[in-house]
Amino acid sequence: MSTTPPYHDTEALQARLALRLTAGLSERAASLPRDVSERLRVGREQAIARARHSRVAVPMLALAGSARTLPEGLVPWWQRMAAVLPLLVLVVGLLAINQWTEREQVLAAAEIDTVLLADDLPPAAYTDPGFAEFLKMAQP
Amino acid sequence: MASDKELSDFLKSVEKRAFKRTVYAVRGDDAALDIVQDAMIRLSTKYADRPAAELPLLFQRILSNATMDWFRRQKVRNAVVQNLSDFEAGDDHESFDLLETVQALEDTLGTESAFDAVSRSEILHAIDAAVGALPARQREAFLLRYWEEFDVAETAAVMGCSEGSVKTHCSRAVFALAAALRAKGITP
């Protein structure tokens, strides 16, 4: 009597044998030498550290270079604002400095004018050559 | 995106099998450890943003590529691309051979009552040696399909071949392993 099973049984037998064999491989792999296990552990920990580093580095690069590298439509509005913000701060700062300087100059001129006008001596006296000579002679 | 814990758990679950697979290919512990470490680092630096479910397939591809890179560096690539016909068995296997081998393995390995530490260790060693002696493509297909538990399509994707080739490689590998074990006297 033939014991040859039909085709689908052969496939099932193959799978059954394969699973027994790989179970044996797993059992053998579980008892690797200690130094091999340690090197695998170190390698795994290094890989995890690299993954952590790359996860931190990628968002920073994205913030710094997204405006250049991404198409316009893909850049979030707040990132575009973040890129323009330093320029806005610089322009506003320069305008403020300009305003402040002009105001200082106006105040200084007004103070001089006030002193000259409030003095007993008329301003025209300072352009008189004779008065200038008098001032020189008056100095010790 | 896979978290650090998911990545670590995945690597922990796969590292020993990856090491053994690579040892079979390169025939050296040091080289295999370097390749596995390289593959783990490549996975974690380039694909850390992928979902955890994609990691197994990605890792096996990376490991295969890293192994091929090693062979290229060693300039012995021809050792990998062996002529399969030298090792292939014919298609006229007697299926009851498989059944006998399955029964022999299950009798020895599958039941605690028949447990014999010495013979068990010898059988595990014989299985290890037989897998190591398989042609490279058969071994890769067998290990990916049955040890990594990939389906035929995934195995074909990792190996870069058709699904039909995977089935053929797997079938031939199983028959070759059964024959090798029978030759070592592992019979009921």
Side-chain angles (χ1 to χ4, degrees), chain A residues 9 18 41 44 50 58 72 85 88-89 101 104 109 112:
Chain A
D9 284 350
R41 183 186 61 78
R44 172 168 28 97
R50 294 277 190 96
V58 166
E72 190 69 18
L85 197 60
L88 278 176
V89 170
T101 310
E104 285 294 306
I112 291 168

Side-chain angles (χ1 to χ4, degrees), chain A:
Chain A
M1 182 175 156
S2 172
T3 55
T4 305
Y7 178 72
H8 63 274
D9 284 350
T10 307
E11 278 199 335
L13 270 179
Q14 279 182 30
R16 194 168 143 197
L17 176 56
L19 291 176
R20 293 305 313 174
L21 291 168
T22 51
L25 290 178
S26 294
E27 191 174 334
R28 199 165 158 79
S31 56
L32 285 175
R34 187 173 181 78
D35 62 322
V36 171
S37 299
E38 276 301 296
R39 283 184 64 183
L40 287 171
R41 183 186 61 78
V42 170
R44 172 168 28 97
E45 287 174 354
Q46 283 182 356
I48 300 299
R50 294 277 190 96
R52 198 173 295 132
H53 178 74
S54 66
R55 281 199 195 97
V56 172
V58 166
M60 288 177 68
L61 281 174
L63 271 177
S66 59
R68 283 198 314 272
T69 56
L70 289 176
E72 190 69 18
L74 295 179
V75 181
W77 65 269
W78 58 269
Q79 280 192 18
R80 270 183 273 175
M81 286 299 295
V84 173
L85 197 60
L87 193 61
L88 278 176
V89 170
L90 180 66
V91 169
V92 170
L94 288 172
L95 286 174
I97 289 170
N98 187 42
Q99 284 285 100
W100 180 77
T101 310
E102 279 184 10
R103 183 178 165 77
E104 285 294 306
Q105 287 172 349
V106 168
L107 285 176
E111 190 178 354
I112 291 168
D113 289 349
T114 305
V115 171
L116 283 175
L117 292 171
D119 199 5
D120 293 336
L121 196 65
Y126 290 101
T127 59
D128 182 51
F131 183 64
E133 194 64 26
F134 166 76
L135 287 176
K136 280 181 188 172
M137 288 177 63
Q139 283 179 349

